[in-house]
Amino acid sequence: MAKQKVQFTGVNKEILQWKSKTTAALKSQIGMLTSEGKGKLISSLRGYVDHDPNGTIYRVAWKFAKHGIFLIQGTGRGYVLEDGKVIRAVRRNNAIYRINKKIERHPKDWFNPVIEARIQELSQKVSQYYADKAAEQIESIYASGTKRNYKI
């Protein structure tokens, strides 16, 4: 049986637009990096949404090439993360062997600042939608003729 394409409406359409704009902002942030491999990272970056059969979106996620994480942490090829700090070392058999050389790499967090700057917009859209939905349900209960007191 083939999957049917879901038509997103209302707040779900707004979430899709937010995801697309955020993906564009992430690609722009990567473009500002001065590191090798940013072209591959930009082309690998894809935004996704997970939804239930009714089309209600419950997760937004991004997938990208593995070296994107190494850029964020400042690790890879002789640079490892230990206790939250980048050090020169090599991992072998669950052991870390330090290398006494100058640290020339630093973390380049291209992901988190963009998400932190844009998450408030998503939060406002979703909270407004569910606040309106709750108000509609309360109005429909009151309009149905039951005159009960509800504590909210």
Side-chain angles (χ1 to χ4, degrees), residues 134-152:
E136 288 171 10
Q137 287 185 344
I138 291 170
E139 285 175 5
S140 70
I141 290 171
Y142 185 74
S144 68
T146 58
K147 295 187 179 184
R148 297 181 185 169
N149 293 327
Y150 294 97
K151 288 187 178 180
I152 299 177

Side-chain angles (χ1 to χ4, degrees), residues 74-80 86-91 97 99 103 105:
T75 60
R77 291 191 185 168
Y79 294 85
V80 297
V86 177
I87 62 168
R88 292 286 305 204
V90 177
R91 289 183 193 257
Y97 300 97
I99 301 170
I103 295 177
R105 271 195 199 178

Side-chain angles (χ1 to χ4, degrees), residues 69-82:
I69 295 294
F70 297 143
L71 280 173
I72 291 170
Q73 294 178 342
T75 60
R77 291 191 185 168
Y79 294 85
V80 297
L81 199 61
E82 182 180 56

Side-chain angles (χ1 to χ4, degrees), residues 45-60:
L45 181 66
R46 298 276 188 269
Y48 297 91
V49 294
D50 290 335
H51 58 85
D52 65 13
N54 298 327
T56 302
I57 295 174
Y58 60 87
R59 182 181 317 156
V60 179

Side-chain angles (χ1 to χ4, degrees), residues 20 22-48 62-69 71 110-111 114:
S20 297
T22 303
T23 302
L26 287 168
K27 287 183 178 186
S28 174
Q29 186 75 12
I30 294 168
M32 288 189 255
L33 297 175
T34 58
S35 58
E36 202 175 301
K38 69 181 180 182
K40 289 180 183 178
L41 183 57
I42 288 172
S43 64
S44 72
L45 181 66
R46 298 276 188 269
Y48 297 91
W62 286 269
K63 293 182 181 179
F64 48 87
K66 190 175 183 178
H67 72 272
I69 295 294
L71 280 173
W110 56 269
F111 188 83
V114 173

